[in-house]
Amino acid sequence: MKRLTVVSLALVFCLAAVIPARAQQRDAISIVGSSTVYPFATVVAERFGKAGGFKTPKIESTGTGGGFKLFCAGVGVQHPDISNASRAIKASEFETCQKNGVTEIVEVKIGFDGIVLANSKKAPPLSFTSKDIFLALAKEVPDPKGGEALVANPYKTWKEVNPALPDVKIEVLGPPPTSGTRDAFLELAMERGALAFESLKKLSKEDAKKFQKVFASLREDGGWVDAGENDNLIVQKLVANPNAVGIFGFSFLDQNTDKIQGAKVDGHVPSFENIADGKYPLSRPLFFYVKKAHVGVIPGIQEYLAEFTSEKAWGKDGYLSEKGLIPLPEAERKKVAENVKNLVVLKEAK
Amino acid sequence: MSKTQGHPRAGKTPENSRTIAVVRASLPRRYRSERRFRLLGLAAVVLSLGFLALMFASLLANGVSAFRQTEIRLPVHFDPEVLHAEALAQADYGQLIRASLGRLFPDVEGRRERRELAALVSSAAVYDLRDLVMRDPGVIGQTREVWLKAGADIDMAVKGHFRRDLPEAERRVSDRQFAWLERLAAEGRLEKRFNRTFFTAGDSREPEQAGIWGAVSGSFFTLAVTLMLSFPIGVAAAVYLEEFARKGRITDLIEVNINNLAAVPSIVFGLLGLAVFLNFLHLPRSAPLVGGLVLTLMTLPTIIIAGRSALKSVPPSIREAALGVGASRMQTVLHHVLPLALPGMLTGTIIGMARALGESAPLLMIGMVAFIVEIPKGFTDPATVLPVQIYLWADSPERAFVERTSAAILVLLAFLVVMNAGAIWLRKRFERRW
């Protein structure tokens, strides 16, 4: 017993002695951030590591906001080198970065992600306008009887929203408030739908804050269901319930075309081509941000950037497009790649 | 009592026979209620076993197919034109595969069709070929039959997850690809073989290349740290509190706190770990060492509580006898009490470890929810653990990850069953009853 205690104590001290020495160096790139960019960044990282020469980067899926928090905490090996984001960096995050000495950040736009509304193959295909989406999902909508007043959402079925839609109960499974996909959905679909009303358009000019509250408040009477972060689960629920509509990233539609179908939005189907052309309205750019101070300190950052921005990765027929990333237009790809090569630093956040 | 004593033949009195009649009359009702109670208990057991069986059945149904992977046998010509001796690692192995497929299906033309043909074989197969050539450069110039992994979609199609009767646009495997697969199968070039990669590889974004070994190693290092720290500390704390500490206000307070800690949600320990180990002590992120420290905090209360109750169950006569023959208090504890309490403490430890093995929430905070391809070799290498691997795969869009998720859960369950069985065996083997 005594020996056991002595041995384990010795081990503990050995460990404690070893760690601080090791903590001062790092030979693999450390990446944090968005779970939407994660499936793409990991593919690049894996290929980059397999090609030899450098260790495979470590990628944490922390969410966009969580990623920036870690990324902007400072310069040094204990802080990550790259942060993935499903939206551009916010001014407040940029400021935090500056304050903590992360003054030089390189922004890399990598492509688009479509947000799809889909339902089961067993049900007829749907076609929404963004106005329909707003009317079906907002907590308060303009009074259907006329007038400018906002009333609690009275619509129970899709048919009440738009006579062209089927007569089934409104039931939409969507991402929870912590998700970047939800933020993007609110901005792309709900805001667009709200602006289709004259009264709300006026409101947006007069009182932006109140307008934000109108389009960003989703109904809480069961029409909208927070379905958790797991998009595979939403797909399964759609298969089980043909009346439900689900909201998730394009790659999940792409993988499950035998079970579910994407709804048209404003007349366009969510297809690879339509998202790339910018015809399909619900698409958002994806980014990652690089700490310039770490380039040259952590081995392989520049090579990783080169791999990510190579045509065989993010090009039209690149391996990222096979994973569901919608590439940028060719001219923009060239421009971004050029900026990345020269490590052009971001001046300010939008 | 005095009444019955006064009447030795009590059964005969009218008063007593009335009691007996009342009891008799109520007997069937009491039997019935007992039967009902037993039935309810049995129903509860059957219900929980039923759910367990359902879970196992669905996991097995989904997961067993992941232990086998579709492979395609190709006659690969190791073309010296492609493989230059000085740059074997950087050679274009994809070209070897494409050339080999082209020889098998010479009538395939057009860019789109060739792409579909190339997609039969996994994009990760090039690394297998590379390893083969690096191991044995003698193959250069020869043609060999090589089993290569099929692509994930092809694997799913062979396993019957894509229905062929759907319109072509709605499935990920085209009619042409199905036809090629049929031909390959007829020629004996298509087989489902044991999926070794699943047990030997680290994580990957290509399902056919993904394995759990990285996560198992990570779990091993993490739990090793947890065991090395939590067992000695937990046992020492339990012995001190139970055998040496003077009972009083302070020990009561400590006891209440330990019991509270045992019920604290595990994510809280993750937050604590982030604040103390990462931000204050600057230990590396994503390291099994930090994971082990966090899980130590989480399992300590369990071990202390189990240890104390094991010590309590050692009868005082043992201590008194030892003290009586002149042993010091330390000798009493170390030579007599602790050996008798150890089986109970070990059981508590193993159950605590099994809980730690299945934990993922606290590890999120310290960066162990991460994509890590390389297999960790030590306590400070970036690593992830089994439950986290399951969580990451469950969230992946690729269809082939569905079966791998279930298979990984089966592996995790196997470890848990082994650990819990070990705890039961230890208890049975060493437990002493008084």
Side-chain angles (χ1 to χ4, degrees):
Chain A
M1 195 58 224
K2 207 176 197 170
R3 212 175 298 146
L4 182 73
T5 327
V6 171
V7 167
S8 47
L9 275 178
L11 272 172
V12 172
F13 283 118
C14 280
L15 277 174
V18 167
I19 307 126
R22 297 273 317 253
Q24 299 310 317
Q25 53 185 4
R26 176 151 61 77
D27 51 1
I29 302 173
S30 167
I31 303 174
V32 293
S34 162
S35 54
T36 313
V37 184
Y38 173 88
F40 308 123
T42 44
V43 179
V44 179
E46 192 181 346
R47 298 216 173 207
F48 171 74
K50 285 245 171 75
F54 298 100
K55 278 191 140 184
T56 310
K58 175 191 85 185
I59 303 182
E60 286 177 47
S61 166
T62 60
T64 302
F68 279 128
K69 219 167 148 187
L70 292 165
F71 180 79
C72 291
V75 172
V77 283
Q78 69 270 36
H79 303 294
D81 314 314
I82 294 177
S83 184
N84 297 324
S86 57
R87 55 165 170 76
I89 188 168
K90 284 184 193 164
S92 58
E93 289 161 342
F94 189 73
E95 258 165 49
T96 319
C97 261
Q98 302 288 328
K99 216 170 58 203
N100 290 330
V102 188
T103 47
E104 295 188 306
I105 309 168
V106 181
E107 181 183 72
V108 186
K109 193 171 172 188
I110 57 170
F112 299 99
D113 177 40
I115 297 172
V116 299
L117 288 93
N119 65 345
S120 164
K121 269 262 148 78
K122 286 174 229 153
L126 298 167
S127 174
F128 301 118
T129 63
S130 19
K131 196 174 157 190
D132 297 340
I133 299 174
F134 173 76
L135 281 182
L137 295 177
K139 195 175 173 192
E140 287 183 326
V141 294
D143 198 334
K145 292 185 203 89
E148 295 205 348
L150 291 171
V151 294
N153 196 330
Y155 303 107
K156 292 274 175 268
T157 69
W158 288 106
K159 202 181 171 129
E160 288 169 24
V161 172
N162 179 349
L165 290 169
D167 191 14
V168 292
K169 212 180 117 219
I170 295 171
E171 191 180 353
V172 176
L173 310 170
T178 47
S179 156
T181 311
R182 162 111 157 214
D183 294 341
F185 175 76
L186 292 178
E187 239 165 68
L188 294 168
M190 298 294 283
E191 184 172 7
R192 202 177 142 103
L195 286 175
F197 293 91
E198 277 308 315
S199 61
L200 289 173
K201 204 168 182 177
K202 220 172 80 199
L203 180 70
S204 75
K205 287 189 191 110
E206 285 162 4
D207 189 348
K209 236 183 192 155
K210 196 169 168 215
F211 176 65
Q212 162 100 18
K213 213 183 142 210
V214 171
F215 77 78
S217 304
L218 294 171
R219 61 196 297 177
E220 289 157 1
D221 56 358
W224 169 278
V225 184
D226 280 348
E229 289 272 17
N230 190 327
D231 291 347
N232 274 323
L233 213 62
I234 301 186
V235 173
Q236 279 177 28
K237 283 180 182 158
L238 292 185
V239 173
N241 178 2
N243 288 334
V245 174
I247 296 173
F248 38 79
F250 173 73
S251 38
F252 286 86
L253 174 66
D254 194 34
Q255 285 282 337
N256 294 292
T257 39
D258 55 335
K259 293 180 187 162
I260 51 174
Q261 54 195 357
K264 277 189 193 170
V265 176
D266 292 339
H268 298 287
V269 287
S271 69
F272 193 87
E273 291 76 20
N274 278 347
I275 300 172
D277 294 351
K279 279 189 196 140
Y280 181 75
L282 308 186
S283 81
R284 55 172 163 168
L286 302 177
F287 303 87
F288 67 82
Y289 291 84
V290 187
K291 217 175 264 178
K292 195 175 172 185
H294 284 195
V295 177
V297 178
I298 310 291
I301 294 185
Q302 221 150 7
E303 288 80 357
Y304 174 78
L305 297 181
E307 170 80 26
F308 213 125
T309 54
S310 69
E311 276 301 296
K312 74 173 167 144
W314 74 347
K316 241 180 109 210
D317 296 314
Y319 57 76
L320 285 174
S321 74
E322 265 164 50
K323 291 281 174 193
L325 179 75
I326 320 281
L328 299 171
E330 203 178 336
E332 200 175 354
R333 282 208 300 274
K334 274 207 182 116
K335 213 180 107 205
V336 175
E338 191 61 30
N339 281 352
V340 167
K341 216 165 144 199
N342 302 327
L343 295 173
V344 176
V345 171
L346 191 67
K347 298 269 181 339
E348 55 178 346
K350 271 161 257 162
Chain B
M1 278 307 265
S2 60
K3 209 170 181 184
T4 37
Q5 266 170 357
H7 302 271
R9 290 153 73 200
K12 292 279 187 211
T13 62
E15 203 179 320
N16 247 335
S17 63
R18 218 187 51 154
T19 311
I20 287 170
V22 168
V23 168
R24 283 235 170 91
S26 73
L27 263 184
R29 190 174 49 79
R30 285 165 63 190
Y31 281 136
R32 264 205 312 280
S33 95
E34 188 186 329
R35 264 202 305 280
R36 256 202 314 276
F37 185 71
R38 277 163 64 175
L39 220 63
L40 268 177
L42 190 69
V45 172
V46 167
L47 194 70
S48 47
L49 279 182
F51 278 122
L52 197 66
L54 194 71
M55 185 184 85
F56 270 111
S58 84
L59 279 176
L60 279 173
N62 277 326
V64 159
S65 55
F67 295 128
R68 283 155 73 76
Q69 156 78 28
T70 309
E71 295 191 11
I72 299 174
R73 185 163 55 93
L74 286 183
V76 178
H77 175 55
F78 293 93
D79 194 342
E81 299 267 300
V82 179
L83 304 169
H84 304 291
E86 61 274 16
L88 281 181
Q90 279 82 41
D92 185 3
Y93 291 90
Q95 197 180 328
L96 299 183
I97 297 174
R98 284 193 296 276
S100 163
L101 281 166
R103 275 194 299 280
L104 276 182
F105 300 98
D107 46 337
V108 173
E109 269 169 30
R111 197 173 125 73
R112 203 185 143 78
E113 275 189 53
R114 285 221 195 94
R115 266 180 84 99
E116 280 181 18
L117 184 63
L120 288 184
V121 177
S122 159
S123 61
V126 290
Y127 305 115
D128 293 341
L129 272 189
R130 183 180 70 187
D131 292 347
L132 195 151
V133 174
M134 303 289 258
R135 250 198 332 270
D136 178 16
V139 296
I140 297 174
Q142 297 177 1
T143 302
R144 282 229 188 138
E145 297 281 337
V146 186
W147 283 102
L148 292 173
K149 289 188 198 78
D153 287 332
I154 301 298
D155 185 38
M156 289 292 100
V158 171
K159 286 173 180 165
H161 291 288
F162 292 131
R163 288 189 8 238
R164 217 185 147 169
D165 50 356
L166 284 168
E168 191 175 3
E170 289 170 10
R171 47 182 150 82
R172 298 181 58 80
V173 177
S174 70
D175 284 339
R176 270 195 295 271
Q177 284 176 319
F178 268 114
W180 291 329
L181 285 178
E182 269 164 21
R183 228 187 88 191
L184 283 173
E187 290 172 15
R189 292 187 175 277
L190 191 77
E191 243 178 56
K192 274 190 277 180
R193 313 180 86 205
F194 178 67
N195 189 356
R196 256 189 68 208
T197 311
F198 184 75
F199 294 99
T200 55
D203 196 5
S204 169
R205 289 284 297 129
E206 307 301 331
E208 67 273 16
Q209 194 61 33
I212 51 165
W213 188 242
V216 170
S217 313
S219 276
F220 170 78
F221 287 122
T222 308
L223 285 190
V225 173
T226 308
L227 184 66
M228 266 178 339
L229 292 174
S230 64
F231 184 63
I233 297 176
V235 169
V239 166
Y240 181 80
L241 285 175
E242 202 54 41
E243 301 290 329
F244 294 102
R246 213 177 303 129
K247 303 274 180 266
R249 267 254 180 79
I250 295 173
T251 40
D252 281 352
L253 196 71
I254 292 175
E255 185 169 352
V256 168
N257 269 310
I258 290 175
N259 289 341
N260 268 336
L261 277 181
V264 163
S266 55
I267 186 98
V268 175
F269 291 105
L271 287 165
L272 181 73
L274 174 69
V276 176
F277 301 129
L278 294 189
N279 294 346
F280 181 65
L281 292 176
H282 294 299
L283 296 181
R285 262 183 95 77
S286 319
L289 174 78
V290 182
L293 286 169
V294 167
L295 293 179
T296 300
L297 296 178
M298 200 194 77
T299 35
L300 258 182
T302 320
I303 295 181
I304 296 176
I305 291 169
R308 290 187 69 180
S309 68
L311 286 168
K312 268 195 197 112
S313 72
V314 175
S317 58
I318 305 267
R319 295 185 187 85
E320 281 151 19
L323 290 172
V325 295
S328 72
R329 278 181 70 185
M330 196 167 136
Q331 282 170 329
T332 310
V333 169
L334 289 187
H335 296 174
H336 302 280
V337 181
L338 202 55
L340 288 170
L342 215 49
M345 290 176 154
L346 282 176
T347 313
T349 308
I350 292 176
I351 289 169
M353 297 309 272
R355 204 186 131 200
L357 175 65
E359 199 58 68
S360 65
L363 304 180
L364 181 75
M365 293 291 137
I366 52 163
M368 287 185 83
V369 179
F371 176 72
I372 289 153
V373 176
E374 270 140 37
I375 289 157
K377 298 259 164 14
F379 292 100
T380 50
D381 285 350
T384 184
V385 293
L386 264 174
V388 169
Q389 188 67 77
I390 291 165
Y391 162 76
L392 287 175
W393 283 354
D395 216 12
S396 298
E398 287 84 3
R399 282 282 277 281
F401 273 121
V402 174
E403 59 171 32
R404 277 164 178 81
T405 308
S406 293
I409 295 173
L410 285 176
V411 172
L412 178 66
L413 281 178
F415 277 114
L416 289 175
V417 167
V418 167
M419 285 174 87
N420 284 325
I424 292 173
W425 180 80
L426 271 177
R427 198 168 60 217
K428 284 260 164 358
R429 177 85 174 67
F430 293 109
E431 193 175 48
R432 295 264 298 266
R433 287 184 188 281
W434 285 281

